[in-house]
Structure formats: C-alpha cells, structure tokens
Amino acid sequence: MTGFFTSVDEVAARLAEAGYLASDAVATTVYLADRLGKPLLVEGPAGVGKTELAKAVAQVTGSRLVRLQCYEGVDESRALYEWNHAKQLLRITAGRDETWDQTRNDIFSEEFLLSRPLLTAIRGDEPTVLLIDETDKADVEVEGLLLEVLGDFQVTVPELGTITATQRPFAVLTSNATRELSEALRRRCLFLHIDFPDEDLEKRIVLARVPDIDDTLATSLVRVINALRAMELRKSPSVAETIDWARTLLELGAEGLTEELVRDSLGVILKHQEDIVKAGQRLELDKL
Amino acid sequence: MSVADRLTEFVQVLRAKGIQAGPGETVDAAAALEVLGFDDRERTREGLAACLIRRDGQRAVFDSTFDLFFPLGVGIPEQARHEHLTLDELDDRLVAAFAADDESALLQLAGLAVDAFGQYGQGGSGTSGWSAHQTLDRVQPQTLLVRVLAAMRAQAGFTERLDRDEIRRRIERFRELVRGEALRRVAELRGRERLSRSAVPPTPDQVDFLQAGRSQVAEMRRMVQPLARKLATRLAARRRRAARGQIDLRRTLRRSLSTGGVPMTPVFRKHRPGRPEIVLLCDMSGSVASFANFTMLLVQALRDQFSKVRVFAFVDGIDEVTHLVTAGVADPAALGARILSEASVIRWDGHSDYGRSLEEFSDRYPDVIGPRTSVLILGDARNNHGDPRLATLAHILRPARRSFWLNPERRDLWSTGDSAAHDYASVVEMHECRNARQLGTLVSRLIPV
C-alpha cells in the first residue's frame, strides 16, 4: 500500500484540483490500487487520459514521476539497468597497483550501475509514481521482466543481489490493446478500462480546459461528439479532440453550432476523409 | 449469506461464464470490499470489476452477474407496493424520463414495468416467472420515439438532428434495464446458482459452428486464447533460434567505440524471418454467420502473430472489413451485425453469390494477394446455382503462398443441392471445419515452423 489517499472522494477531489476530472470508476480504482498496493493496468481508446491519470496522481501526491516509454525492441538494458562499460574501462586502466580481485569487486558496484526507469523507481526513498506507458508496444520478453518488478517490487542484479523497494511505487501501466498482454501480467494488476467520458463529465472537462466557452455551446458540441462516437468511425474523436474543437470554435467566435460551422471544422475532430464523408451524411450536412 | 460466501459464489459464477478469476483475485476482491464497503453500490461494482476482470470484453458479463448477486433491492420496488401503473401512465413517465435522460428514473420504471407487465404463470407453481420479452412486448418503448421528440422540442438548433439517435440509445438502455430486472427476479425465485449454471452450455469445442448459439460462441471464444498463445510460443522459439547468427563486424566495431575500441559486446547479424500475412475471405450470409463470426475472433487473437491481417466479407458483394475486425470488438454477434450494416457486402438480393464476389474481389483488390500471403476462404460454397467462376478463383489465388478453403458443412453434404464445394475443391484445398477443434488443427498448420 502506498497510502496516498484516505477515501474515494478524496481521490476525486484532489485529482480535480490538478485538472483531472475523474469518473467514479477511475477514482474508485485509483483508491483501491493505492490501498492494496497493486499496480494499475489502464486500457482504453487513445486520448481518454490514461497517461494523464498517472501524471495527475504524481502531481497531487507530490511524487516523483518515473516513466518508462515502451516501444518495439525495448529491452532489459533500457528498462532496468545496464553497466557503464566506458567508466568501468576507465577504472580498470586508472587503478594499477591493486589486485585483480579488488578491481573486479569494484567495477561491479553501484557506482558503475546505470539505473533505468524500473530500477530508479524501486531504489528511490521518496514517494514515486511509476508509469509504464504503452506496455502493449513492448515485446513479450519485457513482460517477463515486469512480472518480478510489479509482483514484489524488487529487481535482481546478478552482481549486486536483489534490490527491494523500501517505498512501494504507485505503478500505472497503460495499453491501447494493440497486442494482447499476457495473463500473468494482467493477474498482477488491477484492471481499469477508461472509456470516453459520459456527456456530463465531458462537458465539465471542456469547461475546465476551455473556461471561456459558452455553456450552451459546450453542451451542443459534446452532444455532436457523442453522436460521432456512436457512428463507429475509423477513428473516434477523443477527449483531446473535443477540447481542440472547443478551442477552434471559440477562436472562430462561434455563438452556437450551425451546420456551416460544423461542416467547416469537422477536420479538427475527424482525421480520415472517409470518416468526414460518413459523418457528413449522418449529420445531414449539405453536400459541399 | 455471509459476504465471503456471496463473493466466492459470485466468482464461481463468473468463472463458469468465462472470466478466469483465480483465488488470488478473490482475495483481492475481498480486500477491495473491505476497503470500499457497501455504502455506494456503483463503487463496490467498480472495485470488484478492477479486481476480477482482466480485459474489456468481460465487462458486460460481469455487470449482469453483479446485478444478480448484489441487487439494488429485493422484491417489488418500494413504490410499486402503493401504486399499480396502467400502460398509459407508464408511457407518460417513460417519455418524461427519456426526454430528461434520467437514468435513475429509467431504472425505477424498468422495475415497475416488469412488475406490472412481466409476470406469467401462477405464483408458487413451477411454471411462473418474470419475462423481459413479455414486458417489452407490452410496453413497446420504441413506439414512444415521436412523443419523446415532441417533449424535447424545447431546444432547437443544430443539435436537434441528433435527438432521434440519442433517444434510440436511451430506449435501448431501458430495454437492457428491463432485461436485468427480469433476470434478477427470476434469480430470486429460482436461486442464483441454478440460473447461472443453466446458462452454461456443454462441450464447447465440438459444437458445430452452424448450430452454435450465441452463448456457445462465447464459450468457444475461450478456447481461442490458449491456441493463440501456443502459436505465439512456437513463433518466439523460432525467432530466438534465428537471432543467433553470424557476427556483424561493422556494428561490433561501431559499438566498441564507447569502450575504447575493445569489442566487449559482439553484435550478431539478425535474420528477420518473414512473418506470414493472412487474407481472409468470409461468407457473411445468414447460413454461415456464426461460423464466420467465430473465425474472425480467432483472427483477432492471432493478429500479432501475422505481420498483416486483412479481412474481406462478402455475401453477393465484397468489401474490406479489416478495420472493423481489428478494432477490438468483443461480441461476435455485434461484429457480424456491424459488418452487415457498415460494409457493402450485399449488392443485390442478399443471397450468397461466390462467383460475383470473387469477380469483384479480383477487380477491386488486385494487389492484395502476394507471395507471402496465406489465403483463407470461409464458407459453405452454397452458390445458389450461380456461376462458380472457377477460373477467377484460380487467378486470384495464383500468387498466394498457400490457400485453404474452410467449409463448415459435413463432408457428405458437399455438392448436394446448390453447393459447389467439389468444384471449388478442385481449385483450392478444401477442408471440413465444423468445430473449434478442427479449426485449431488447421490454423496451426498455417504457420510454418
């Protein structure tokens, strides 16, 4: 248990202070992860605020944020630690009057260890939020590595022994589900699916991020966004795009949504031509 | 019943429905209940979901089971004891609730509706119960659309045109609530465990695709996961072996610069084994729909193993549906429905026409099939006595590395009636593929080891 929060309401309130409006599901799960000391696996469509959640938790709890960005080919030496070979060589050439045993013991000590995110998160004494971003992009082998780290919050370096966390990091894993994560990894985590927010929450998000926008305009633009999401487009507009659109409309000096405005600014929210065409038909926008 | 008993029974039922929660998860769930308490039902729900669910697709099953085990209330809703609604009164209140998008009112009305219109049989006898179907049949919420529209007319403007779709979604939501309420009452009557057990079908891997019901397809889906996993391990083993190749001298020297010219870590030349590409042609007509839906679930599970998966659906026209299949839709029936509604697979009368579809494929997608492609055709080859166009098929498949036709019909039914199975079998290797077991064997042969 990391012990950042004392109630679900507190989670929601403090996240809101950091500008992250959490749904009930999000607040509850964050609170649970905090109390049970389990990593949190967050899935959901792009742009619903999975990474933002980790950042917000770090911000409101005053923790250090350690981020491991996963990509195809990320490996142990990028995720965990590696030995600083150049420095080791320098050490070997510099010290001439000592025995081999002394040198050998010396060059595999902490001084020559380069901590990568996972080890950094575990070794620190201060409260830490460990964000493992886009876990699904990493290869299957990396998952094996994560099992030890996330299960017991410890790392084994052969030359140094096992390093266990004195202060458990609050771990957040995000995934867009481009690849199915292994059952073993999922079992170690609490699971949270963040979906697009409901209309009411999304409107509050828009009002929080774009304070100058008119209330009725915000209501109707969120309704249009929701209608678009129900259309099963190739790329549904995300919350980020809702905010972009709100800013655009504000910039254009719009007072209410009109057919013309929507037609002209559809490109801000939809990123595929076929989506634009489809949305145009379904929203009954006149042909250009 | 104690909380621990109820929780373990709940987990048992989830397991029976395909959510693989182990003892560890149950312990977590118990800890979550301790932390969260029961004050707020929705929070309890979210907390248990976080502990017991492992992926998105499981949420619907979880929610309906949760409603069964942790019901909102027991017996008749508080209000219904005092009032007995007529259909007209119910309609009026529904219209108001739909117009205001008032979820809690809808929930209450669902309870009232089932109470007033959903009961059948005599109380106490074995044949009585509650029926969502009967309730919805009498209430007919979909007919209220126009009235709700009228009630919402207050705010005019651009978003007016969205009203219709939104109301439809709310009505659908109400139907779900009614179904949940009826289920809950039946559970109260008959016992939760018996109810959930009767919903679990037997021996999934040998059920014929063509006869499989909705729930059985879900059951089969569970068997896909280990199969995909097995294939993944086989592929990984192959890659590791291939990685140990010759030393790459240029890169070894380049890397040695950081260690003062001492080549501390030799770099090996990597072989990149060509990962196979797969193209699927799926008959989506009614007769083989459950088969095709299921196979596409398999493709979803396999899509990381193949560097490229493309899926085409046809009835009497053909269209690419890759983006639909790979978008992570969990429910096979919904996926099938989406394909039929969003892709242009029906051009004429909705009877399968293999010949015409093949012709169109050859015209529209001439470059899809290349030397690294494995092609799978899924269908019963029932061509409605049309021209099978064997030459077109042969032309399409010529560049492919391998091609198979999977036929969900029994071999002795091939070429009976309007089936052109043996004609096509002369052009492409055709296999009988009636159940998940046969399919598993076939697909493992597609990945060369």
Side-chain angles (χ1 to χ4, degrees):
Chain A
M1 126 173 196
T2 38
F4 289 147
F5 305 102
T6 56
S7 74
V8 178
D9 294 316
E10 190 199 335
V11 175
R14 282 170 70 184
L15 287 178
E17 278 168 36
Y20 190 96
L21 300 181
S23 66
D24 222 21
V26 172
T28 308
T29 320
V30 167
Y31 176 61
L32 265 189
D34 177 49
R35 298 298 302 222
L36 303 183
K38 297 199 83 175
L40 185 59
L41 170 61
V42 189
E43 284 192 345
V48 291
K50 300 188 290 291
T51 309
E52 288 305 313
L53 175 62
K55 289 185 183 162
V57 170
Q59 193 188 332
V60 302
T61 58
S63 308
R64 169 180 65 146
L65 179 72
V66 178
R67 178 174 180 166
L68 172 65
Q69 172 67 50
C70 294
Y71 50 90
E72 215 172 309
V74 67
D75 60 357
E76 212 178 355
S77 59
R78 290 279 154 220
L80 209 48
Y81 68 89
E82 70 187 320
W83 291 105
N84 190 340
H85 294 313
K87 205 170 170 191
Q88 282 173 328
L89 272 177
L90 277 173
R91 170 72 187 79
I92 294 167
T93 34
R96 296 193 189 283
D97 305 326
E98 57 197 356
T99 64
W100 163 242
D101 278 343
Q102 281 171 325
T103 315
R104 189 185 57 194
N105 289 337
D106 199 34
I107 59 167
F108 288 109
S109 64
E110 295 265 352
E111 194 188 342
F112 301 96
L113 195 67
L114 292 173
S115 274
R116 300 298 184 207
L118 293 182
L119 186 59
T120 312
I122 280 179
R123 281 213 296 187
D125 292 326
E126 69 255 65
T128 305
V129 172
L130 169 63
L131 166 63
I132 303 175
D133 218 356
E134 304 193 53
T135 317
D136 51 330
K137 298 272 160 51
D139 300 321
V140 183
E141 291 80 7
V142 176
E143 278 186 32
L145 195 72
L146 290 176
L147 293 184
E148 188 189 12
V149 176
L150 298 177
D152 304 316
F153 289 100
Q154 64 178 40
V155 166
T156 308
V157 181
E159 294 85 355
L160 293 180
T162 303
I163 300 172
T164 311
T166 47
Q167 170 101 35
R168 262 189 183 219
F170 182 95
V172 178
L173 289 79
T174 74
S175 161
N176 283 330
T178 49
R179 178 174 68 79
E180 187 73 4
L181 299 176
S182 78
E183 208 56 41
L185 182 63
R186 288 177 179 275
R187 275 225 313 280
R188 278 169 179 69
C189 304
L190 294 179
F191 178 78
L192 171 64
H193 179 82
I194 304 189
D195 218 325
F196 296 119
D198 60 37
E199 280 185 35
D200 183 48
L201 180 59
E202 185 156 27
K203 188 181 147 194
R204 283 194 288 132
I205 294 173
V206 168
L207 290 176
R209 291 299 183 87
V210 192
D212 295 336
I213 200 165
D214 175 58
D215 193 85
T216 27
L217 179 58
T219 312
S220 27
L221 87 92
V222 166
R223 282 186 69 193
V224 174
I225 291 276
N226 267 280
L228 289 173
R229 280 181 196 148
M231 281 177 206
E232 306 287 1
L233 303 167
R234 257 179 81 180
K235 164 81 179 69
S236 283
S238 70
V239 181
E241 270 130 10
T242 313
I243 293 168
D244 279 350
W245 200 30
R247 293 214 173 101
T248 312
L249 291 178
L250 195 66
E251 209 58 40
L252 292 173
E255 292 185 348
L257 276 188
T258 61
E259 194 167 303
E260 201 185 2
L261 261 176
V262 175
R263 194 201 308 131
D264 292 345
S265 59
L266 218 45
V268 178
I269 33 178
L270 298 177
K271 305 298 162 75
H272 292 282
Q273 181 56 30
E274 55 187 275
D275 283 357
I276 293 179
V277 170
K278 190 168 171 187
Q281 282 167 0
R282 296 283 291 274
L283 291 176
E284 299 158 35
L285 299 173
D286 286 336
K287 298 285 148 13
L288 301 173
Chain B
M1 198 196 306
S2 77
V3 173
D5 285 345
R6 181 167 290 219
L7 181 64
T8 40
E9 197 190 308
F10 178 54
V11 175
Q12 297 279 349
V13 170
L14 285 181
R15 263 179 225 155
K17 292 190 177 179
I19 295 178
Q20 299 286 357
E25 278 93 329
T26 317
V27 173
D28 285 346
L33 283 182
E34 197 177 75
V35 170
L36 292 171
F38 288 98
D39 299 345
D40 186 328
R41 179 164 176 265
E42 287 314 303
R43 284 181 185 172
T44 309
R45 180 200 297 267
E46 296 301 338
L48 285 182
C51 296
L52 296 170
I53 293 187
R54 290 290 157 257
R55 46 180 60 85
D56 310 348
Q58 303 174 332
R59 189 59 200 242
V61 174
F62 175 88
D63 276 344
S64 64
T65 318
F66 181 88
D67 288 337
L68 221 56
F69 274 80
F70 302 91
L72 204 52
V74 177
I76 309 166
E78 205 52 44
Q79 258 184 318
R81 287 174 216 194
H82 307 297
E83 52 181 324
H84 194 81
L85 281 180
T86 64
L87 194 53
D88 283 343
E89 283 162 3
L90 180 71
D91 280 356
D92 290 344
R93 290 175 59 176
L94 269 177
V95 167
F98 282 137
D101 193 18
D102 183 346
E103 172 88 10
S104 67
L106 281 183
L107 189 63
Q108 197 181 35
L109 287 172
L112 289 172
V114 174
D115 193 63
F117 307 107
Q119 189 165 29
Y120 63 87
Q122 274 91 46
S125 74
T127 53
S128 68
W130 303 92
S131 160
H133 183 74
Q134 181 185 315
T135 313
L136 293 170
D137 209 42
R138 297 236 205 124
V139 178
Q140 299 275 354
Q142 67 278 13
T143 55
L144 299 175
L145 183 73
V146 181
R147 286 179 59 190
V148 181
L149 267 179
M152 285 173 73
R153 271 292 175 250
Q155 75 246 51
F158 177 76
T159 47
E160 203 180 310
R161 66 189 73 188
L162 306 174
D163 292 349
R164 210 168 268 270
D165 281 345
E166 268 175 33
I167 296 168
R168 280 202 193 96
R169 287 205 287 278
R170 287 174 203 167
I171 291 177
E172 193 41 51
R173 175 79 191 132
F174 176 70
R175 288 166 169 275
E176 270 168 37
L177 290 173
V178 167
R179 284 186 203 111
E181 174 69 15
L183 198 65
R184 182 183 74 76
R185 286 177 179 234
V186 176
E188 224 171 71
L189 216 58
R190 307 240 167 94
R192 276 181 292 274
E193 232 196 320
R194 220 185 97 199
L195 181 77
S196 30
R197 211 177 284 150
S198 65
V200 179
T203 58
D205 68 334
Q206 299 198 41
V207 176
D208 269 24
F209 289 125
L210 297 182
Q211 263 103 56
R214 260 186 86 111
S215 57
Q216 283 168 328
V217 172
E219 194 70 16
M220 286 174 191
R221 188 176 137 73
R222 276 206 279 154
M223 306 179 351
V224 170
Q225 228 56 49
L227 179 64
R229 197 76 201 156
K230 204 173 84 191
L231 292 171
T233 349
R234 274 171 71 177
L235 268 180
R238 220 171 122 249
R239 251 184 259 146
R240 259 199 301 281
R241 222 183 310 134
R244 241 172 270 135
Q246 284 176 300
I247 284 196
D248 184 334
L249 201 59
R250 196 185 62 80
R251 288 179 59 209
T252 305
L253 286 177
R254 177 73 188 76
R255 188 170 285 188
S256 75
L257 289 182
S258 69
T259 51
V262 184
M264 295 199 56
T265 28
V267 183
F268 293 98
R269 191 162 287 152
K270 280 204 180 101
H271 295 292
R272 302 207 179 274
R275 287 204 285 172
E277 300 171 356
I278 190 163
V279 168
L280 237 83
L281 305 180
C282 275
D283 183 352
M284 291 300 298
S285 66
S287 61
V288 289
S290 58
F291 166 66
N293 289 344
F294 172 70
T295 315
M296 271 186 273
L297 281 173
L298 184 77
V299 172
Q300 279 188 327
L302 285 175
R303 69 180 197 264
D304 349 307
Q305 312 310 324
F306 296 91
S307 60
K308 208 190 243 174
V309 180
R310 294 186 74 173
V311 187
F312 299 85
F314 64 87
V315 175
D316 53 17
I318 195 161
D319 201 4
E320 178 156 10
V321 295
T322 313
H323 58 286
L324 295 178
V325 177
T326 51
V329 183
D331 178 13
L335 180 63
R338 273 189 65 189
I339 289 175
L340 287 181
S341 66
E342 289 177 34
S344 52
V345 292
I346 299 178
R347 292 246 187 284
W348 310 91
D349 53 359
H351 295 297
S352 19
D353 186 334
Y354 283 74
R356 186 156 24 211
S357 304
L358 289 169
E359 199 72 59
E360 194 187 334
F361 180 81
S362 158
D363 286 347
R364 280 177 67 187
Y365 307 102
D367 304 322
V368 166
I369 295 170
R372 287 174 59 190
T373 325
S374 299
V375 185
L376 273 187
I377 304 172
L378 310 169
D380 55 5
R382 295 206 171 268
N383 200 23
N384 291 305
H385 302 289
D387 178 0
R389 310 205 202 194
L390 298 178
T392 313
L393 180 63
H395 172 76
I396 291 174
L397 296 180
R398 195 166 297 127
R401 173 185 176 133
R402 296 165 127 201
S403 44
F404 298 97
W405 187 307
L406 305 186
N407 191 329
E409 272 194 336
R410 276 210 335 265
R411 192 175 281 270
D412 29 312
L413 290 177
W414 290 8
S415 292
T416 59
D418 57 353
S419 165
H422 283 111
D423 292 343
Y424 282 122
S426 67
V427 180
V428 50
E429 205 176 318
M430 190 178 283
H431 294 277
E432 173 186 293
C433 179
R434 282 163 56 205
N435 54 43
R437 184 172 293 177
Q438 284 178 341
L439 182 65
T441 328
L442 283 167
V443 171
S444 59
R445 280 168 52 185
L446 283 178
I447 295 192
V449 178

